Amino acid sequence: MVLHLVPRWSARLFRASPRWKKTYTQRASAQLKWLGCPRSVYSPLACRAYSKVSGSPEVMLTPERYPVQRLPFSTVSEEDLAAFECIIPGRVITDPEQLQTCNVDWLRTVRGCSKVLLRPQTSEEVSQILRHCYKRNLAVNPQGGNTGMVGGSVPVFDEVILSTALMNQVISFHDVSGILVCQAGCVLEELNRYVQERDFIMPLDLGAKGSCHIGGNVATNAGGLRFLRYGSLRGTVLGLEVVLADGTILNCLTSLRKDNTGYDLKQMFIGSEGTLGVITAVSIVCPPRPKAVNVAFLGCPGFTEVLQTFRTCKGQLGEILSAFEFMDAECMQLVGQHLHLINPVQESPFYVLVETSGSSAGHDAEKLTNVLEQVLNSGLVIDGTMATDQRKVQMLWALRERITEALSRDGYVFKYDLSLPVERLYDLVIDLRTRLGPRAKHVVGYGHLGDGNLHLNVTAEAFSQELLGALEPYVYAWTAEQRGSVSAEHGLGFKKKNVLGYSKPLVAVRLMQQLKAMLDPKGILNPYKTLPARA
Amino acid sequence: MVLHLVPRWSARLFRASPRWKKTYTQRASAQLKWLGCPRSVYSPLACRAYSKVSGSPEVMLTPERYPVQRLPFSTVSEEDLAAFECIIPGRVITDPEQLQTCNVDWLRTVRGCSKVLLRPQTSEEVSQILRHCYKRNLAVNPQGGNTGMVGGSVPVFDEVILSTALMNQVISFHDVSGILVCQAGCVLEELNRYVQERDFIMPLDLGAKGSCHIGGNVATNAGGLRFLRYGSLRGTVLGLEVVLADGTILNCLTSLRKDNTGYDLKQMFIGSEGTLGVITAVSIVCPPRPKAVNVAFLGCPGFTEVLQTFRTCKGQLGEILSAFEFMDAECMQLVGQHLHLINPVQESPFYVLVETSGSSAGHDAEKLTNVLEQVLNSGLVIDGTMATDQRKVQMLWALRERITEALSRDGYVFKYDLSLPVERLYDLVIDLRTRLGPRAKHVVGYGHLGDGNLHLNVTAEAFSQELLGALEPYVYAWTAEQRGSVSAEHGLGFKKKNVLGYSKPLVAVRLMQQLKAMLDPKGILNPYKTLPARA
């Protein structure tokens, strides 16, 4: 019965709008051609790897671009290297070429000069490493997939790089509750594949899924594309194992949905960006794999119509709405220009991607069809296309997911990740276009509209202090005036640590510094990150 | 169309099982009679109030029953009272009769001897009160609706009672995002009514909703009946205002879905039971009011069938499943005996309550009907009844929600609130019946099966050290062996603080103590609660 519903549903759409049919059929050949390329060429993982090895010039050392001074940590000595070699034989990397990748963030905006990369396999090894570093006052930069946006995942100076890459084992999976326990270095996409085979999905998804580690996701409290439906990691992460600065192992790796015994210590480490402890294992609850996923990609005539489309979807799709993303026309232009992706709908000032995930293909299709008819007939949407089969779903998602990558190919990118009242979300983009004029190549806005989260990006031929000066603190002050957040999901890392005060009062910043001092009294864990040097 | 679906759906059930029809019709008159009484007589609020003012004997003073010594805090002096009167004129209560209720928990198991109750209206007043208490080294017991289960909400000795009862104003509500900002003393049921009028619901619901305060809910990280669907307060609470021990106001009262600027300080206060700060205001995201709610009440022949029914419901109802509660035959007997509630289905060893909440009455009814046919035909369920209209829905919910109240009328109640692997959830109840024999009046098990949360209750004519000795540490050790939690949602308060070690390692307990010392160096906030005196 369910299978028969799909053509009926398309047929209803054709009746509702001849344009719809036209788009859906006319683009089919283009879409097939596009999908003819091997998938890996288009996956974020492959593209990120590509951008790393491209022949672009050396990235400037962080202390040369930013005013930051090395703190009086010790320097790694031959004895330290020998001690590390004792703990993790054969996994102490000092080869400069191998170190190069780990010293530079994937956006190629910050660069450290660490001389050693450690690749432990177990929590016990991490513990021994940290015990040594703590005793010796050696600074440590915990590193996952190095896909962060704010320079939090690479050293600023010569910090020891502690990589979770070899801590990539699934510890357990419970196929009734969907609770996954795994080491911190498991790659998100691989975990998703693992749980999908067991009829579940990971509760988070993001563009960097092919490279990012689950430990890094938790350490940065990653939001991403499924946040609207499955909520924050603060709810889905059930337990953590963390190694503290002095090497103590804190085992809170429970798999219980509810546990009100004392303070929930794991919350301190979620979103602490490796500054309070090193996450070594994660227990996380996975939702059941939805039986039906539908994606609609729509063109809207204005931002007001984007908002009204969101309200309509939220009201009528209810519990099956799993994503509501938007992007502006300049984003579409960039993914076309740099990645050769094809716009599947009529050119529009704005585009939205609506995803539903549910347990009944028939019911979900009926709900979505009703909504789409309504938004099309009322003029909220100019044109649209829809997909249910996985290939086409991925194709539509790529338009949104690969914007970051297209931007990084456009030049130097000034990135802002803001939470704003949804009604004012796009005003800042318009404002900045006027303010910056021809100094910027592109000023684009896209993001998770459903969560009030704007990704504002400005590209230029190269980094320029003048452009930076025009952007900051202007963007932060504008955001603070709206009582927004200057970092919705990217965290503060190195690049945003000094703007914390725009979103948090002094009392809060001081309390954060107290917490840091309590957990890491020598300040060896990911120094120069997250918190401003002084409140 | 939607309206017509309901009879069709019943008709299908009748065909599937004649028993179903019989139950559904035969009980109708009894149900109507039951609903003939004014609703307030049956609401948890009214009943709790009733149990408080009943003529039962005086509750024993806490230090007489439990081994606890007063810490060297100051004693409230006439000068202190005058200072309080200056801060909150006319709201300093010293009348012994008025103090009586606030000194005793609603279960009537612990009793303090505070001489003063303070009723501030604003955060600024709370701040001034705490500044004074901190300076004077006066211990403070923050109190919300005083509906806690573990003696956390009343003084142990003569702590100053700081009530949030007059802090009951809604600050703002955003009718698109559903974000509510309100003072900590708002009663949950009143908030739910407020947001329901605006087409939203509160993301949590619990039996004590008629009395409990939202600030207390957050301070105890209350779980409750909607946890399965809307998740934990750690995800739905967006911001908090908290007054720290020394009177400092920490304003983290943002209303943003995403905010990764620094450490998420509010998480420290969620579930800290008033020991780290006093929550004065809450920002919380409310889900849209479901357009359709269906409740089925089913009788199962055994616990294995309860589990299989849960699996079937989870798999097939997917995103619309909003509650899956269970209770055993003894629970049903008690709500019948003490509250005169009528069992709407055939007598069975177990009962489950399944609730769906969704955006389409037709779709939801179809999904639920299919599931019910399946569980009935396969013998997982013996008998059942179903409700869609609000009155009947409430009637069925009362059977589950009012168990706590029925138990409290049965005698002294030893209460355990455990998280356990769902497969072993009921084994402990069976085990204890054998172990305790006639020493217990009743040993019952019920709770939130969908969250792996068992409420295990043992009733006796009166409190007895011998029975307590047979129960503890046995129950805790049994739970620890299953890697469960000795407090799933009730917290530790006064009565469970010494069992923290059964669910948390020593390293964690020590870290909690460090956190307490950092935030409340004099230990004046809710002393003798949550953390053991020594790790």
Side-chain angles (χ1 to χ4, degrees):
Chain A
M1 189 183 84
V2 161
L3 282 172
H4 291 295
L5 264 174
V6 182
R8 179 172 70 80
W9 161 44
S10 305
R12 283 173 66 181
L13 275 181
F14 298 159
R15 280 201 304 276
S17 157
R19 278 174 314 198
W20 200 283
K21 182 181 177 184
K22 192 176 137 205
T23 310
Y24 201 71
T25 47
Q26 270 192 346
R27 308 283 174 178
S29 58
Q31 287 172 349
L32 284 171
K33 200 173 126 199
W34 177 34
L35 282 166
C37 302
R39 194 185 167 277
S40 66
V41 174
Y42 287 103
S43 80
L45 174 60
C47 295
R48 291 205 173 177
Y50 174 78
S51 71
K52 271 180 193 162
V53 296
S54 68
S56 50
E58 191 71 276
V59 177
M60 201 183 272
L61 279 169
T62 303
E64 290 173 6
R65 176 171 292 166
Y66 294 90
V68 56
Q69 286 216 311
R70 191 180 181 282
L71 292 168
F73 298 111
S74 304
T75 306
V76 176
S77 66
E78 286 303 320
E79 289 74 25
D80 293 321
L81 293 178
F84 293 144
E85 189 62 35
C86 255
I87 301 167
I88 46 166
R91 286 174 279 129
V92 178
I93 316 295
T94 52
D95 170 44
E97 212 159 301
Q98 279 185 273
L99 279 164
Q100 205 177 354
T101 324
C102 304
N103 267 313
V104 181
D105 72 322
W106 83 271
L107 288 171
R108 303 183 62 75
T109 56
V110 284
R111 181 158 72 93
C113 57
S114 177
K115 300 288 185 291
V116 62
L117 163 71
L118 305 178
R119 291 158 67 91
Q121 287 174 325
T122 67
S123 312
E124 190 45 53
E125 288 174 353
V126 174
S127 164
Q128 287 182 45
I129 290 166
L130 285 183
R131 202 175 304 139
H132 179 87
C133 292
Y134 189 75
K135 209 173 64 191
R136 280 274 297 126
N137 198 31
L138 285 168
V140 178
N141 162 238
Q143 190 173 82
N146 190 8
T147 61
M149 300 288 198
V150 287
S153 57
V154 292
V156 176
F157 293 96
D158 58 343
E159 298 93 285
V160 171
I161 303 173
L162 181 64
S163 165
T164 51
L166 299 185
M167 301 182 69
N168 56 1
Q169 301 299 304
V170 168
I171 298 167
S172 67
F173 184 73
H174 192 278
D175 61 5
V176 176
S177 64
I179 295 168
L180 170 77
V181 183
C182 65
Q183 284 190 300
C186 292
V187 171
L188 180 60
E189 193 169 52
E190 285 167 19
L191 288 178
N192 200 52
R193 205 173 298 130
Y194 177 91
V195 301
Q196 269 200 347
E197 284 164 10
R198 288 149 182 88
D199 253 354
F200 288 82
I201 57 167
M202 291 299 286
L204 79 159
D205 185 21
L206 49 152
K209 58 177 162 262
S211 311
C212 65
H213 295 185
I214 188 71
N217 297 147
V218 174
T220 56
N221 189 28
L225 307 163
R226 288 177 185 160
F227 186 97
L228 182 69
R229 173 66 172 275
Y230 301 111
S232 140
L233 289 172
R234 300 198 174 273
T236 53
V237 170
L238 302 182
L240 289 182
E241 182 190 61
V242 179
V243 182
L244 303 179
D246 65 358
T248 303
I249 298 177
L250 174 68
N251 184 347
C252 293
L253 201 59
T254 54
S255 294
L256 304 164
R257 296 297 297 261
K258 286 177 170 176
D259 179 19
N260 275 351
T261 52
Y263 312 143
D264 189 0
L265 297 176
K266 70 170 183 286
Q267 297 292 343
M268 294 198 293
F269 302 98
I270 300 176
S272 70
E273 306 184 84
T275 63
L276 298 180
V278 177
I279 294 170
T280 48
V282 175
S283 167
I284 189 165
V285 62
C286 300
R289 184 180 186 166
K291 289 182 187 138
V293 173
N294 298 301
V295 169
F297 194 87
L298 316 171
C300 288
F303 193 69
T304 309
E305 287 79 8
V306 169
L307 288 179
Q308 282 172 352
T309 304
F310 173 54
R311 268 168 221 170
T312 309
C313 287
K314 201 179 162 191
Q316 297 191 24
L317 297 174
E319 64 280 359
I320 62 165
L321 181 64
S322 55
F324 194 99
E325 300 286 314
F326 92 103
M327 57 196 274
D328 62 17
E330 288 201 40
C331 290
M332 184 61 87
Q333 186 197 323
L334 289 169
V335 293
Q337 182 185 335
H338 295 294
L339 308 172
H340 313 296
L341 304 192
I342 291 159
N343 178 0
V345 299
Q346 191 182 309
E347 273 191 19
S348 310
F350 291 92
Y351 302 91
V352 302
L353 185 151
V354 184
E355 188 192 69
T356 66
S357 306
S359 59
S360 161
H363 290 167
D364 296 1
E366 195 182 317
K367 286 187 181 99
L368 185 57
T369 307
N370 289 342
V371 169
L372 294 181
E373 276 179 4
Q374 190 179 325
V375 292
L376 203 62
N377 290 338
S378 61
L380 295 179
V381 163
I382 301 168
D383 187 19
T385 183
M386 210 156 57
T388 49
D389 79 88
Q390 216 192 334
R391 245 177 30 161
K392 281 188 194 153
V393 163
Q394 280 179 351
M395 220 164 61
L396 295 178
W397 262 114
L399 292 163
R400 162 63 188 85
E401 280 191 291
R402 298 184 65 197
I403 298 171
T404 314
E405 188 191 335
L407 284 162
S408 74
R409 296 191 185 196
D410 197 54
Y412 188 91
V413 192
F414 297 89
K415 295 189 96 67
Y416 302 94
D417 165 40
L418 313 167
S419 270
L420 286 168
V422 80
E423 300 83 1
R424 301 290 319 265
L425 201 76
Y426 202 71
D427 293 356
L428 180 56
V429 182
I430 298 166
D431 184 346
L432 274 185
R433 281 196 189 125
T434 314
R435 182 178 168 85
L436 302 178
R439 284 182 290 183
K441 266 179 90 175
H442 290 282
V443 179
V444 308
Y446 64 100
H448 317 292
L449 191 91
D451 316 321
N453 185 182
L454 170 72
H455 293 319
L456 165 70
N457 284 247
V458 177
T459 63
E461 287 305 341
F463 175 82
S464 126
Q465 282 293 355
E466 192 223 336
L467 196 50
L468 186 65
L471 281 162
E472 299 178 19
Y474 184 79
V475 168
Y476 300 124
W478 200 99
T479 304
E481 209 167 288
Q482 308 297 323
R483 303 198 65 203
S485 167
V486 294
S487 183
E489 58 176 15
H490 291 171
L492 299 172
F494 172 75
K495 291 195 276 182
K496 310 268 175 181
K497 65 172 178 159
N498 288 320
V499 300
L500 172 54
Y502 284 96
S503 291
K504 292 288 156 68
L506 194 59
V507 169
V509 178
R510 288 206 177 122
L511 205 48
M512 291 179 200
Q513 284 167 328
Q514 272 185 278
L515 201 59
K516 168 76 178 172
M518 182 186 106
L519 281 159
D520 180 16
K522 292 186 174 180
I524 63 164
L525 288 178
N526 224 9
Y528 324 105
K529 313 278 171 69
T530 308
L531 298 184
R534 63 189 70 141
Chain B
M1 188 185 84
V2 161
L3 283 172
H4 291 296
L5 263 173
V6 181
R8 177 172 71 80
W9 160 45
S10 307
R12 283 171 68 179
L13 277 181
F14 299 158
R15 278 200 304 278
S17 157
R19 275 175 315 197
W20 200 282
K21 182 183 178 183
K22 191 177 136 204
T23 310
Y24 200 71
T25 49
Q26 270 192 345
R27 306 284 173 178
S29 58
Q31 287 171 347
L32 283 170
K33 200 172 126 198
W34 178 34
L35 283 167
C37 301
R39 195 186 166 278
S40 66
V41 175
Y42 287 103
S43 80
L45 174 60
C47 296
R48 290 204 173 179
Y50 174 78
S51 71
K52 271 178 191 166
V53 296
S54 69
S56 51
E58 191 70 279
V59 178
M60 200 183 274
L61 279 169
T62 304
E64 289 173 6
R65 176 171 291 166
Y66 295 89
V68 56
Q69 288 217 308
R70 190 180 182 283
L71 292 168
F73 297 111
S74 305
T75 306
V76 176
S77 65
E78 286 303 319
E79 289 74 25
D80 292 322
L81 292 178
F84 293 144
E85 188 61 35
C86 255
I87 301 167
I88 47 167
R91 286 173 279 129
V92 179
I93 317 294
T94 52
D95 169 44
E97 211 158 302
Q98 279 185 273
L99 278 164
Q100 204 177 355
T101 324
C102 306
N103 267 314
V104 181
D105 72 322
W106 82 271
L107 288 170
R108 303 183 61 76
T109 56
V110 284
R111 180 159 72 93
C113 57
S114 177
K115 300 287 184 292
V116 61
L117 163 70
L118 305 178
R119 293 159 65 91
Q121 288 174 324
T122 66
S123 312
E124 188 46 52
E125 288 173 353
V126 174
S127 163
Q128 287 181 45
I129 290 166
L130 286 183
R131 201 175 305 139
H132 179 87
C133 293
Y134 189 75
K135 209 173 64 190
R136 279 273 299 127
N137 199 31
L138 286 168
V140 178
N141 164 237
Q143 190 174 81
N146 190 9
T147 62
M149 301 287 197
V150 287
S153 57
V154 291
V156 176
F157 293 95
D158 59 343
E159 298 93 285
V160 171
I161 303 173
L162 181 63
S163 165
T164 51
L166 299 184
M167 301 181 70
N168 57 1
Q169 301 299 305
V170 169
I171 298 167
S172 66
F173 184 73
H174 191 278
D175 61 4
V176 176
S177 64
I179 295 168
L180 170 77
V181 183
C182 64
Q183 283 190 300
C186 292
V187 170
L188 180 59
E189 193 169 52
E190 285 167 20
L191 287 179
N192 200 52
R193 203 174 300 128
Y194 178 92
V195 300
Q196 269 200 348
E197 284 164 10
R198 289 150 181 88
D199 253 354
F200 287 83
I201 57 167
M202 291 299 286
L204 79 160
D205 185 22
L206 48 152
K209 57 177 162 263
S211 311
C212 65
H213 295 185
I214 188 71
N217 296 148
V218 174
T220 56
N221 190 28
L225 307 163
R226 289 177 185 160
F227 185 97
L228 182 69
R229 173 67 173 274
Y230 301 112
S232 142
L233 289 172
R234 298 197 177 276
T236 52
V237 170
L238 303 182
L240 289 182
E241 183 190 59
V242 179
V243 181
L244 303 180
D246 65 359
T248 303
I249 299 177
L250 175 67
N251 184 347
C252 294
L253 200 58
T254 54
S255 294
L256 304 164
R257 298 295 300 259
K258 288 176 168 175
D259 179 20
N260 275 350
T261 52
Y263 312 143
D264 189 0
L265 297 176
K266 71 170 182 287
Q267 297 292 343
M268 295 197 294
F269 303 98
I270 300 176
S272 71
E273 306 185 84
T275 63
L276 299 180
V278 178
I279 294 171
T280 48
V282 175
S283 166
I284 189 166
V285 62
C286 301
R289 184 179 186 168
K291 289 182 187 137
V293 174
N294 298 301
V295 169
F297 195 86
L298 315 171
C300 289
F303 193 69
T304 309
E305 286 79 8
V306 169
L307 288 180
Q308 282 173 350
T309 303
F310 173 54
R311 269 168 220 168
T312 308
C313 288
K314 202 180 160 190
Q316 295 191 26
L317 296 173
E319 63 281 358
I320 63 165
L321 181 65
S322 54
F324 193 99
E325 300 287 314
F326 91 103
M327 57 196 274
D328 63 17
E330 288 201 41
C331 289
M332 184 61 87
Q333 186 197 323
L334 289 169
V335 293
Q337 182 184 334
H338 295 293
L339 308 173
H340 314 294
L341 303 192
I342 291 159
N343 178 358
V345 299
Q346 190 182 310
E347 273 192 19
S348 312
F350 291 92
Y351 303 90
V352 302
L353 184 151
V354 185
E355 187 193 71
T356 66
S357 307
S359 58
S360 161
H363 290 167
D364 296 2
E366 194 182 317
K367 286 188 180 98
L368 185 58
T369 308
N370 288 342
V371 169
L372 294 180
E373 276 179 5
Q374 190 179 325
V375 292
L376 203 63
N377 290 337
S378 61
L380 296 180
V381 164
I382 300 168
D383 188 19
T385 183
M386 210 155 57
T388 49
D389 80 88
Q390 217 192 332
R391 245 176 32 160
K392 283 191 191 150
V393 162
Q394 279 178 353
M395 221 165 60
L396 294 178
W397 263 114
L399 291 164
R400 162 65 189 84
E401 280 190 290
R402 297 186 63 197
I403 298 171
T404 313
E405 188 190 335
L407 284 161
S408 74
R409 297 191 183 196
D410 197 53
Y412 188 91
V413 192
F414 297 89
K415 296 189 95 67
Y416 303 94
D417 164 42
L418 313 167
S419 270
L420 287 168
V422 80
E423 301 83 2
R424 300 291 319 267
L425 201 75
Y426 202 70
D427 292 356
L428 180 57
V429 182
I430 298 166
D431 183 345
L432 275 184
R433 281 197 188 122
T434 314
R435 181 178 169 85
L436 301 177
R439 284 182 290 182
K441 267 180 90 173
H442 290 282
V443 179
V444 309
Y446 63 101
H448 318 291
L449 192 92
D451 317 321
N453 185 183
L454 170 72
H455 293 319
L456 165 70
N457 284 248
V458 177
T459 63
E461 288 304 342
F463 176 81
S464 126
Q465 282 292 355
E466 192 222 337
L467 197 50
L468 186 64
L471 281 163
E472 301 179 15
Y474 184 80
V475 168
Y476 301 124
W478 200 99
T479 304
E481 210 168 287
Q482 307 298 324
R483 304 198 64 204
S485 168
V486 293
S487 184
E489 57 176 16
H490 291 171
L492 299 171
F494 172 75
K495 291 196 274 181
K496 310 270 174 181
K497 64 172 180 160
N498 289 319
V499 301
L500 172 55
Y502 285 95
S503 291
K504 291 288 155 69
L506 193 59
V507 169
V509 178
R510 289 206 177 123
L511 206 47
M512 290 179 201
Q513 283 165 328
Q514 273 184 275
L515 201 58
K516 168 77 177 170
M518 181 185 107
L519 280 159
D520 180 17
K522 293 185 174 180
I524 63 164
L525 288 178
N526 225 8
Y528 324 104
K529 315 278 171 68
T530 309
L531 298 185
R534 62 191 68 142

